[in-house]
Amino acid sequence: MAYNSRFAVAIHTLSLLDSTEGRITSEMIAGSVNTNPVVIRRMISQLTKSGLLRTQPGVAGAQLTRPAGEITLLDIYRAAQNEARDELFAIHDNPNPNCEVGRNIQQELEQVFARAQRAMEQELEQITLRQITTDIQQMEEVRQAIRS
């Protein structure tokens, strides 16, 4: 089962906006993400509602509302999750209450998964969008150097 890719698409979108001079359209972002522009427009809408982006009616493109060095991956994660606030891991419904494991597994997993969620969020809070775009630029420079 693949986990939802909204978070990765949000980082991709914001990385493009940070690393590109001027405004870029949802079509251009969609070309980089390799998805439909409608998906990108929805993501831009979510990121705008969360306060990470600014858009103007009738003007193509979006802009970061603050410097990339002040936007953490936790900010992006929370924005991409929207109001759903999906947990990192889901617990299956309706285990067998007549089974020793079945009647206790949900309570145990809730505690374990909550610790894992907190650890992940603490890690994401330490990484900024600027670090991501800087790493991407460095990777591209290495790629170009190898090709030369």
Side-chain angles (χ1 to χ4, degrees), residues 10-141:
I11 296 170
H12 192 145
T13 299
L14 292 171
S15 295
L16 278 167
L17 292 170
D18 181 46
S19 63
T20 305
E21 301 262 336
R23 292 182 176 265
I24 57 175
T25 66
S26 56
E27 287 79 12
M28 294 166 74
I29 297 169
S32 179
V33 175
N34 202 20
T35 191
N36 191 299
V38 171
V39 171
I40 299 304
R41 283 192 282 276
R42 284 188 196 131
M43 179 56 65
I44 288 172
S45 176
Q46 269 185 255
L47 296 170
T48 300
K49 286 177 189 172
S50 73
L52 295 178
L53 290 179
R54 172 184 322 112
T55 58
Q56 294 176 326
V59 179
Q63 296 176 311
L64 299 176
T65 57
R66 57 187 196 260
E70 295 176 14
I71 298 172
T72 68
L73 291 191
L74 182 58
D75 296 329
I76 300 168
Y77 174 76
R78 288 179 174 158
Q81 295 311 92
N82 203 5
E83 284 125 29
R85 292 286 191 247
D86 298 334
E87 296 296 322
L88 186 58
F89 302 106
I91 298 174
H92 62 291
D93 293 329
N94 304 317
N96 185 345
N98 297 320
C99 169
E100 179 180 312
V101 173
R103 73 178 151 261
N104 294 296
I105 193 71
Q106 287 179 315
Q107 182 178 352
E108 177 60 18
L109 290 180
E110 283 174 1
Q111 294 172 17
V112 171
F113 291 173
R115 285 195 314 267
Q117 181 82 27
R118 281 192 302 277
M120 180 210 58
E121 289 181 2
Q122 288 170 351
E123 181 66 21
L124 293 178
E125 195 168 33
Q126 302 304 309
I127 304 166
T128 67
L129 178 61
R130 176 52 42 93
Q131 289 170 289
I132 296 296
T133 55
T134 298
D135 289 349
I136 290 168
Q137 289 167 351
Q138 290 173 348
M139 285 186 270
E140 188 59 23
E141 289 170 7

